[in-house]
Amino acid sequence: MKALLLVAHGSRRKQSNDEVILLTDKLRNNCSQQYHIVHAAFLELAEVLIPDGIKQCVDEGASSIIVLPYFLNSGRHVVEDIPNILNGCTALYPEINISLAPHLGASSLMMDLLIASSETAKAL
Amino acid sequence: MKALLLVAHGSRRKQSNDEVILLTDKLRNNCSQQYHIVHAAFLELAEVLIPDGIKQCVDEGASSIIVLPYFLNSGRHVVEDIPNILNGCTALYPEINISLAPHLGASSLMMDLLIASSETAKAL
């Protein structure tokens, strides 16, 4: 079974974390053909943390897990912190294939998203 | 003339700010039909700051400016800080129409972007 784990930074502001959870619910409904399991996890400041998110996917029967960083830039969190945490997880679950997607700013669809978003601007 | 001002948070890490500048260059090439002027600005920690980005657009002849927050969540920066700064700018340039686009997480294209990005994941 294929799992998708959306990983956000996590915020002290509960509303920001709730937005990530709601987005993940929407994502689950939109990619049920590609992924049997879809969860959210956070790098810090919010639960569940990444190792617990990976465990949740494994417990539900995932044989492969794609980790999707919900980050715009390729900063330290994306380049070092998340891979380091995931390397710890691959050591715990050597039978599970864990893959890491690029940060969102690298997506070829980002241009379309930015232009579409600009067209929904409202006057101050 | 219509201007688009992409506003990112700004980072102490130069590479992150450079990514925003490169993305803005790409955006300029992709939306020349909709916008005559396209620039980047930062909320903090990097130059140019938002008021200077607005001034740059005005100096180049913009009559309307759409500000596009390069933020995933509707946190304090998007909900309070950026509108507050822009309200200061509208007081300075009352003849310019300044509009504010929603944060990127609100885009209807975000689902497509997330799913496409997950399909480019690489094994650890």
Side-chain angles (χ1 to χ4, degrees), chain A residues 13 19 35 74 100 118 122, chain B residues 19 35 74 100 118 122:
Chain A
R13 193 170 159 274
E19 271 185 29
Y35 301 103
S74 68
L100 180 60
S118 76
K122 292 182 180 164
Chain B
E19 271 184 30
Y35 300 103
S74 68
L100 180 60
S118 76
K122 291 182 181 164

Side-chain angles (χ1 to χ4, degrees), chain B residues 106-124:
Chain B
S107 170
S108 59
L109 294 182
M110 186 51 84
M111 286 300 114
D112 293 340
L113 190 151
L114 290 175
I115 294 168
S117 189
S118 76
E119 288 164 357
T120 65
K122 291 182 181 164
L124 282 174

Side-chain angles (χ1 to χ4, degrees), chain A residues 8-23 40 42 44-47, chain B residues 73:
Chain A
H9 185 280
S11 169
R12 287 187 182 82
R13 193 170 159 274
K14 185 176 178 296
Q15 196 183 328
S16 284
N17 302 327
D18 289 347
E19 271 185 29
V20 173
I21 303 290
L22 280 174
L23 188 85
F42 298 93
E44 58 188 26
L45 302 175
E47 293 191 329
Chain B
N73 292 317

Side-chain angles (χ1 to χ4, degrees), chain A residues 23-49:
Chain A
L23 188 85
T24 305
D25 291 341
K26 198 173 162 190
L27 186 59
R28 186 179 299 114
N29 293 332
N30 276 270
C31 68
S32 55
Q33 291 199 318
Q34 296 100 317
Y35 301 103
H36 307 92
I37 300 164
V38 178
H39 286 304
F42 298 93
L43 178 63
E44 58 188 26
L45 302 175
E47 293 191 329
V48 300
L49 295 174

Side-chain angles (χ1 to χ4, degrees), chain A:
Chain A
M1 290 213 290
K2 289 180 72 175
L4 182 62
L5 186 67
L6 185 77
V7 169
H9 185 280
S11 169
R12 287 187 182 82
R13 193 170 159 274
K14 185 176 178 296
Q15 196 183 328
S16 284
N17 302 327
D18 289 347
E19 271 185 29
V20 173
I21 303 290
L22 280 174
L23 188 85
T24 305
D25 291 341
K26 198 173 162 190
L27 186 59
R28 186 179 299 114
N29 293 332
N30 276 270
C31 68
S32 55
Q33 291 199 318
Q34 296 100 317
Y35 301 103
H36 307 92
I37 300 164
V38 178
H39 286 304
F42 298 93
L43 178 63
E44 58 188 26
L45 302 175
E47 293 191 329
V48 300
L49 295 174
I50 298 172
D52 297 323
I54 294 285
K55 182 177 187 303
Q56 199 171 8
C57 294
V58 173
D59 287 349
E60 293 180 17
S63 54
S64 72
I65 303 171
I66 290 178
V67 176
L68 180 56
Y70 194 59
F71 288 74
L72 286 171
N73 292 317
S74 68
R76 187 172 47 84
H77 292 323
V78 168
V79 174
E80 294 176 21
D81 299 341
I82 295 175
N84 286 344
I85 293 169
L86 294 179
N87 282 325
C89 296
T90 55
L92 272 178
Y93 310 107
E95 73 285 10
I96 312 289
N97 294 314
I98 301 181
S99 310
L100 180 60
H103 63 285
L104 302 185
S107 170
S108 58
L109 294 181
M110 186 51 84
M111 286 300 115
D112 293 341
L113 190 151
L114 291 175
I115 295 168
S117 190
S118 76
E119 289 165 356
T120 64
K122 292 182 180 164
L124 283 174

Side-chain angles (χ1 to χ4, degrees), chain B residues 40-118:
Chain B
F42 298 94
L43 177 63
E44 58 188 26
L45 300 175
E47 293 192 329
V48 299
L49 295 174
I50 298 171
D52 296 324
I54 294 283
K55 181 178 187 303
Q56 199 171 8
C57 294
V58 173
D59 287 348
E60 292 179 19
S63 54
S64 72
I65 303 172
I66 289 178
V67 176
L68 181 55
Y70 194 59
F71 287 73
L72 286 172
N73 292 317
S74 68
R76 186 172 47 84
H77 292 322
V78 168
V79 174
E80 292 176 23
D81 298 341
I82 295 175
N84 285 345
I85 293 169
L86 293 178
N87 281 326
C89 296
T90 56
L92 271 177
Y93 311 108
E95 72 285 9
I96 311 289
N97 292 314
I98 302 181
S99 311
L100 180 60
H103 62 286
L104 303 185
S107 170
S108 59
L109 294 182
M110 186 51 84
M111 286 300 114
D112 293 340
L113 190 151
L114 290 175
I115 294 168
S117 189
S118 76

